[in-house]
Each structure stands twice: as C-alpha cells, then as structure tokens.
Amino acid sequence: MARREETEQEAAAPPTRKPERPLGIGMVGYAFMGAAHSQGWRTVGHVFDLPMRPALAAICGRDRAAVTAAAERHGWAAAETDWRALIARDDVQLVDICTPGDSHAEIAIAALEAGKHVLCEKPLANTVAEAEAMTEAAERARARGQVAMVGFNYRKAPAIAYARKMISDGRLGSLRHVRATYLQDWLVDPESPLTWRLDRERAGSGALGDLGAHIVDLAQYLAGELLVGVSAMSETFVRDRPLLAGASAGLSGSADSEARGAVTVDDAALFTGRLASGALASFEATRMAAGRKNALRLELNGERGSLAFDLERLNELSFHDHTEPATTAGFRRILVTEPEHPYLEAWWPPGHALGYEHTFIHQARDLVRTIAEGADPVPSFADGLQVQRVLAAVEESAEKNSVLTPVHTP
C-alpha cells in the first residue's frame, strides 16, 4: 500500500522544469532608470517562462558607496566603479546602459566589440554621428549572433502593443492624422536646480530628447511608417538655474541660491511632421506644463476610425469605429487586461491593472526571448537611429525658423 501511495504522489507531482541557461546582466547606471531596469530584470523570470534565466551579476557607478548601496537595494550580486571592468566580467553576457546620453556610444560600442549583447536607454545617443556608429557596431555584432536593443519602454505597455495590432489590422484604414504630446512640469519653478538633463554636453537636448524621443518613436511605431519631414519651434524659458551645492550637477545635493549655471537645452519643443503616406502629425514635448506630471497622449485618425492612448490611463484605449451607423457610433473604452492582449497571459485576472514598472518587465522578457531565439531585436539600434535623425531635423528646423517682428499699424 505504501508503495502505491508513493507512486500516486509521484504521478501527481508537477514535472521538473529543465534548468534555464543563465544570462548574466551587467548594468551601467543606478539612478532613476537603473532602478526601473533593475525591477524589470529582477521580476521577469518570476512572471514569464523564459528560455534563459536573467542573473543580476553586477551594477556599475562611479561613486563606490552609492553603487554598493544600489546593488544591495536592487539585488545585484556585485558592484563596479569602472564600466570597462563590468564589460570584462565573465559572468556578464548582456550590458544594460542607463547612463546620460554622452556615454552611450562609447559604452555600447565597447560592449558589442567585447561580444556582449546590449540594451541601451533612449535616446540612443546625443548626435546622429554617434547613433550611426552605434548602429554600425550593432550590425557587425548581429552577424556574430549578438543583439542590441534600444529602450523605448512605452512600446511594451499592453495597450500600446494592442493599438499597434489594431492599426496594422486595418481598423483605422488609411491614416490622416497623428497627434502626440508629452507634458511634464518638474522645471516650472525657475529655482529648480541645474542637473545633467539641462546640460547639452551631457543630455544632447532637453525636452526634445528626453520626452520627444518617446512620442516620435511611438508615432512611427503605431503608424507603421516613418516621418519624412518636420517643421519646428523650441524655447528655453529659464536661461540659468541654481547649481547644486556640495555635489556635481545631476547628483544629490541642495541648490545653492547664489551660484547659477546656464541652461543649454530646450525647455519645450513643438513641431509638425509628415509621414511617408502623406498623413500629418503634430508633436509637443515640454517640461514646463504646470500640473502635468507625466502626461503622454497619442491619437491617430484614419478613414475608418480613430484610436487614442493616455499614459495616465495606462490600461485603456479609446476607439471610434467610423464604419458603424452614426446613430450608435462613438468613442468606446477598451480595457486592455484580457489574457489575449499582449503580455497579459502571465499576469492577473481581467480588470486587474498593470503599471509603469511593467513596461520594463516586458522589455526584459522580449530581449531575453530575442537573444535565445537568435531573432532580430525590436526596437533595434536602427530604430533608435531613425528617431535620432528626426530629433536632429527638429533642432535644425527650430534654429532656422525666424521670429517675426510685430508690425504696429496706426
């Protein structure tokens, strides 16, 4: 009897899972984006069945005490103070770059040449030339089986991914308009301190690269076509700000009301564009919109309908089917929480909403599967280069647009 019970228990036991191959992650940078990416890597293997197991091997930053604390807080096995040492580690197969834009090209190219896979935060670089060099390095590495992905995390929101499917399935028909805004208010106060994000040498540009990169990428991703022309204006409303006392700009410290430094990037950018199909697009990116904390919104209008997404309602789409009778037609809410929706097969029952941090978990899932399958990454460095070219064209247009002198009539 005892042997029979033992056999029945063995039959009822779940099958033993085949151990996944480890994928050692090394991250450069540990602040806001470093914390978000850490959450993604730490969580993804507990939610999704993956062909490889992400292992948080090492995190890197210049401040030994700060990076050691970040390693302990976010679950990294080791801390480094030199990104070259991190790349050289045998337990690191993928380098995740979460640093300011001025270091993206150097770190990414070195990592690719060392045989590592790479994930790099957006915007891909500070200049088109840097982005081109990174893309060329990625193409050489791809021939060796390596993967290089750019971190446009909002693509990984289930509602955005489902919107892409609806549009590619023809639910809107031919596109006529794309409208995109990304509004924040953390720089409204002129006494907010000068950080690296306000330094052109470190950040490349201001609201344009920080926020505009996201909406340019999303507009092209959802439309399934590229921008072929832009016309732009930009403005820096506050020309100098307090320096941080007792710390380098961009790190911790209090503002010194006496010492001030120049703001060398835009506070806001406003531009129109034309897609390859002839559809018209408009974009607004600002960090000076009082009351708007992280307000990203897109709307696409086509011959058959319209579709809108609002980041403050992350799990929803607003859809109008213009083929329905006018007596019943109107915008309706689509709650994107069903297991049939992108990424949601592994999450909670329908109606249980996801949040911002889940986009980084989904990004990690896609990248691990891409590496294991030997597939092409999406979004790739080439996608990042395309966005960089649009940003450069916007800056060039904004510089050329003249200011009219008002004419006073009698």
PDB file of all heavy atoms in Angstrom, residues 30 59-71 78-82 85:
ATOM      1  N   TYR A  30      22.668  53.659 -12.010  1.00  0.00           N
ATOM      2  CA  TYR A  30      21.866  53.115 -10.912  1.00  0.00           C
ATOM      3  C   TYR A  30      20.815  54.093 -10.393  1.00  0.00           C
ATOM      4  O   TYR A  30      20.195  53.844  -9.357  1.00  0.00           O
ATOM      5  CB  TYR A  30      22.770  52.694  -9.752  1.00  0.00           C
ATOM      6  CG  TYR A  30      23.664  53.798  -9.227  1.00  0.00           C
ATOM      7  CD1 TYR A  30      23.205  54.701  -8.274  1.00  0.00           C
ATOM      8  CD2 TYR A  30      24.965  53.928  -9.688  1.00  0.00           C
ATOM      9  CE1 TYR A  30      24.013  55.712  -7.801  1.00  0.00           C
ATOM     10  CE2 TYR A  30      25.795  54.944  -9.217  1.00  0.00           C
ATOM     11  CZ  TYR A  30      25.311  55.830  -8.272  1.00  0.00           C
ATOM     12  OH  TYR A  30      26.118  56.837  -7.801  1.00  0.00           O
ATOM     13  N   ILE A  59      26.374  45.737 -11.082  1.00  0.00           N
ATOM     14  CA  ILE A  59      25.910  47.079 -11.415  1.00  0.00           C
ATOM     15  C   ILE A  59      27.089  48.035 -11.246  1.00  0.00           C
ATOM     16  O   ILE A  59      27.952  47.821 -10.384  1.00  0.00           O
ATOM     17  CB  ILE A  59      24.717  47.489 -10.520  1.00  0.00           C
ATOM     18  CG1 ILE A  59      24.093  48.804 -10.994  1.00  0.00           C
ATOM     19  CG2 ILE A  59      25.110  47.558  -9.065  1.00  0.00           C
ATOM     20  CD1 ILE A  59      22.780  49.127 -10.291  1.00  0.00           C
ATOM     21  N   CYS A  60      27.119  49.087 -12.067  1.00  0.00           N
ATOM     22  CA  CYS A  60      28.292  49.956 -12.112  1.00  0.00           C
ATOM     23  C   CYS A  60      27.913  51.419 -11.929  1.00  0.00           C
ATOM     24  O   CYS A  60      26.920  51.898 -12.486  1.00  0.00           O
ATOM     25  CB  CYS A  60      29.010  49.770 -13.455  1.00  0.00           C
ATOM     26  SG  CYS A  60      30.483  50.786 -13.657  1.00  0.00           S
ATOM     27  N   GLY A  61      28.721  52.139 -11.158  1.00  0.00           N
ATOM     28  CA  GLY A  61      28.602  53.579 -10.991  1.00  0.00           C
ATOM     29  C   GLY A  61      29.902  54.117 -10.438  1.00  0.00           C
ATOM     30  O   GLY A  61      30.685  53.373  -9.835  1.00  0.00           O
ATOM     31  N   ARG A  62      30.155  55.413 -10.621  1.00  0.00           N
ATOM     32  CA  ARG A  62      31.449  55.977 -10.229  1.00  0.00           C
ATOM     33  C   ARG A  62      31.610  56.133  -8.717  1.00  0.00           C
ATOM     34  O   ARG A  62      32.723  56.093  -8.194  1.00  0.00           O
ATOM     35  CB  ARG A  62      31.648  57.325 -10.917  1.00  0.00           C
ATOM     36  CG  ARG A  62      31.917  57.207 -12.410  1.00  0.00           C
ATOM     37  CD  ARG A  62      31.971  58.569 -13.079  1.00  0.00           C
ATOM     38  NE  ARG A  62      30.687  59.251 -13.035  1.00  0.00           N
ATOM     39  CZ  ARG A  62      30.446  60.434 -13.583  1.00  0.00           C
ATOM     40  NH1 ARG A  62      31.416  61.078 -14.200  1.00  0.00           N
ATOM     41  NH2 ARG A  62      29.244  60.985 -13.508  1.00  0.00           N
ATOM     42  N   ASP A  63      30.501  56.307  -8.004  1.00  0.00           N
ATOM     43  CA  ASP A  63      30.545  56.507  -6.551  1.00  0.00           C
ATOM     44  C   ASP A  63      30.453  55.142  -5.862  1.00  0.00           C
ATOM     45  O   ASP A  63      29.395  54.503  -5.882  1.00  0.00           O
ATOM     46  CB  ASP A  63      29.387  57.415  -6.136  1.00  0.00           C
ATOM     47  CG  ASP A  63      29.406  57.774  -4.663  1.00  0.00           C
ATOM     48  OD1 ASP A  63      29.653  56.885  -3.828  1.00  0.00           O
ATOM     49  OD2 ASP A  63      29.143  58.953  -4.349  1.00  0.00           O
ATOM     50  N   ARG A  64      31.548  54.693  -5.258  1.00  0.00           N
ATOM     51  CA  ARG A  64      31.602  53.346  -4.664  1.00  0.00           C
ATOM     52  C   ARG A  64      30.500  53.142  -3.633  1.00  0.00           C
ATOM     53  O   ARG A  64      29.806  52.116  -3.643  1.00  0.00           O
ATOM     54  CB  ARG A  64      32.982  53.121  -4.045  1.00  0.00           C
ATOM     55  CG  ARG A  64      33.083  51.886  -3.155  1.00  0.00           C
ATOM     56  CD  ARG A  64      32.874  50.585  -3.913  1.00  0.00           C
ATOM     57  NE  ARG A  64      33.973  50.309  -4.838  1.00  0.00           N
ATOM     58  CZ  ARG A  64      34.005  49.246  -5.634  1.00  0.00           C
ATOM     59  NH1 ARG A  64      32.986  48.392  -5.638  1.00  0.00           N
ATOM     60  NH2 ARG A  64      35.023  49.059  -6.457  1.00  0.00           N
ATOM     61  N   ALA A  65      30.328  54.079  -2.723  1.00  0.00           N
ATOM     62  CA  ALA A  65      29.328  53.911  -1.671  1.00  0.00           C
ATOM     63  C   ALA A  65      27.922  53.874  -2.250  1.00  0.00           C
ATOM     64  O   ALA A  65      27.095  53.033  -1.868  1.00  0.00           O
ATOM     65  CB  ALA A  65      29.443  55.039  -0.643  1.00  0.00           C
ATOM     66  N   ALA A  66      27.642  54.772  -3.198  1.00  0.00           N
ATOM     67  CA  ALA A  66      26.294  54.845  -3.759  1.00  0.00           C
ATOM     68  C   ALA A  66      25.967  53.607  -4.591  1.00  0.00           C
ATOM     69  O   ALA A  66      24.853  53.070  -4.512  1.00  0.00           O
ATOM     70  CB  ALA A  66      26.150  56.096  -4.612  1.00  0.00           C
ATOM     71  N   VAL A  67      26.905  53.138  -5.405  1.00  0.00           N
ATOM     72  CA  VAL A  67      26.619  51.985  -6.251  1.00  0.00           C
ATOM     73  C   VAL A  67      26.534  50.706  -5.423  1.00  0.00           C
ATOM     74  O   VAL A  67      25.754  49.798  -5.730  1.00  0.00           O
ATOM     75  CB  VAL A  67      27.645  51.854  -7.394  1.00  0.00           C
ATOM     76  CG1 VAL A  67      29.002  51.341  -6.903  1.00  0.00           C
ATOM     77  CG2 VAL A  67      27.112  50.928  -8.489  1.00  0.00           C
ATOM     78  N   THR A  68      27.304  50.629  -4.341  1.00  0.00           N
ATOM     79  CA  THR A  68      27.198  49.467  -3.445  1.00  0.00           C
ATOM     80  C   THR A  68      25.835  49.440  -2.772  1.00  0.00           C
ATOM     81  O   THR A  68      25.206  48.379  -2.649  1.00  0.00           O
ATOM     82  CB  THR A  68      28.320  49.509  -2.391  1.00  0.00           C
ATOM     83  OG1 THR A  68      29.589  49.460  -3.050  1.00  0.00           O
ATOM     84  CG2 THR A  68      28.210  48.326  -1.446  1.00  0.00           C
ATOM     85  N   ALA A  69      25.367  50.607  -2.356  1.00  0.00           N
ATOM     86  CA  ALA A  69      24.025  50.674  -1.756  1.00  0.00           C
ATOM     87  C   ALA A  69      22.951  50.302  -2.765  1.00  0.00           C
ATOM     88  O   ALA A  69      21.983  49.602  -2.440  1.00  0.00           O
ATOM     89  CB  ALA A  69      23.779  52.083  -1.210  1.00  0.00           C
ATOM     90  N   ALA A  70      23.112  50.749  -4.023  1.00  0.00           N
ATOM     91  CA  ALA A  70      22.148  50.415  -5.066  1.00  0.00           C
ATOM     92  C   ALA A  70      22.157  48.916  -5.347  1.00  0.00           C
ATOM     93  O   ALA A  70      21.100  48.307  -5.563  1.00  0.00           O
ATOM     94  CB  ALA A  70      22.462  51.198  -6.343  1.00  0.00           C
ATOM     95  N   ALA A  71      23.329  48.308  -5.338  1.00  0.00           N
ATOM     96  CA  ALA A  71      23.425  46.867  -5.557  1.00  0.00           C
ATOM     97  C   ALA A  71      22.665  46.107  -4.479  1.00  0.00           C
ATOM     98  O   ALA A  71      21.920  45.150  -4.774  1.00  0.00           O
ATOM     99  CB  ALA A  71      24.891  46.433  -5.588  1.00  0.00           C
ATOM    100  N   ALA A  78      27.101  42.085  -7.389  1.00  0.00           N
ATOM    101  CA  ALA A  78      28.377  42.782  -7.236  1.00  0.00           C
ATOM    102  C   ALA A  78      28.234  44.212  -7.722  1.00  0.00           C
ATOM    103  O   ALA A  78      27.287  44.556  -8.438  1.00  0.00           O
ATOM    104  CB  ALA A  78      29.483  42.062  -8.013  1.00  0.00           C
ATOM    105  N   ALA A  79      29.194  45.060  -7.315  1.00  0.00           N
ATOM    106  CA  ALA A  79      29.228  46.458  -7.744  1.00  0.00           C
ATOM    107  C   ALA A  79      30.595  46.771  -8.333  1.00  0.00           C
ATOM    108  O   ALA A  79      31.626  46.290  -7.842  1.00  0.00           O
ATOM    109  CB  ALA A  79      28.938  47.388  -6.566  1.00  0.00           C
ATOM    110  N   GLU A  80      30.610  47.574  -9.384  1.00  0.00           N
ATOM    111  CA  GLU A  80      31.834  48.018 -10.031  1.00  0.00           C
ATOM    112  C   GLU A  80      31.817  49.546 -10.116  1.00  0.00           C
ATOM    113  O   GLU A  80      30.744  50.159 -10.136  1.00  0.00           O
ATOM    114  CB  GLU A  80      31.950  47.446 -11.451  1.00  0.00           C
ATOM    115  CG  GLU A  80      32.013  45.928 -11.541  1.00  0.00           C
ATOM    116  CD  GLU A  80      33.408  45.386 -11.255  1.00  0.00           C
ATOM    117  OE1 GLU A  80      34.327  46.201 -10.975  1.00  0.00           O
ATOM    118  OE2 GLU A  80      33.582  44.165 -11.300  1.00  0.00           O
ATOM    119  N   THR A  81      32.984  50.146 -10.196  1.00  0.00           N
ATOM    120  CA  THR A  81      33.078  51.600 -10.363  1.00  0.00           C
ATOM    121  C   THR A  81      33.653  51.985 -11.724  1.00  0.00           C
ATOM    122  O   THR A  81      33.769  53.171 -12.015  1.00  0.00           O
ATOM    123  CB  THR A  81      33.945  52.229  -9.251  1.00  0.00           C
ATOM    124  OG1 THR A  81      35.234  51.614  -9.252  1.00  0.00           O
ATOM    125  CG2 THR A  81      33.287  52.043  -7.891  1.00  0.00           C
ATOM    126  N   ASP A  82      33.982  51.006 -12.556  1.00  0.00           N
ATOM    127  CA  ASP A  82      34.522  51.255 -13.888  1.00  0.00           C
ATOM    128  C   ASP A  82      33.748  50.397 -14.876  1.00  0.00           C
ATOM    129  O   ASP A  82      33.752  49.170 -14.772  1.00  0.00           O
ATOM    130  CB  ASP A  82      36.014  50.902 -13.929  1.00  0.00           C
ATOM    131  CG  ASP A  82      36.669  51.253 -15.264  1.00  0.00           C
ATOM    132  OD1 ASP A  82      35.940  51.405 -16.269  1.00  0.00           O
ATOM    133  OD2 ASP A  82      37.906  51.354 -15.308  1.00  0.00           O
ATOM    134  N   ALA A  85      35.551  47.516 -16.510  1.00  0.00           N
ATOM    135  CA  ALA A  85      35.681  46.316 -15.684  1.00  0.00           C
ATOM    136  C   ALA A  85      34.397  45.496 -15.729  1.00  0.00           C
ATOM    137  O   ALA A  85      34.434  44.256 -15.747  1.00  0.00           O
ATOM    138  CB  ALA A  85      36.023  46.702 -14.248  1.00  0.00           C
TER     139      ALA A  85
END
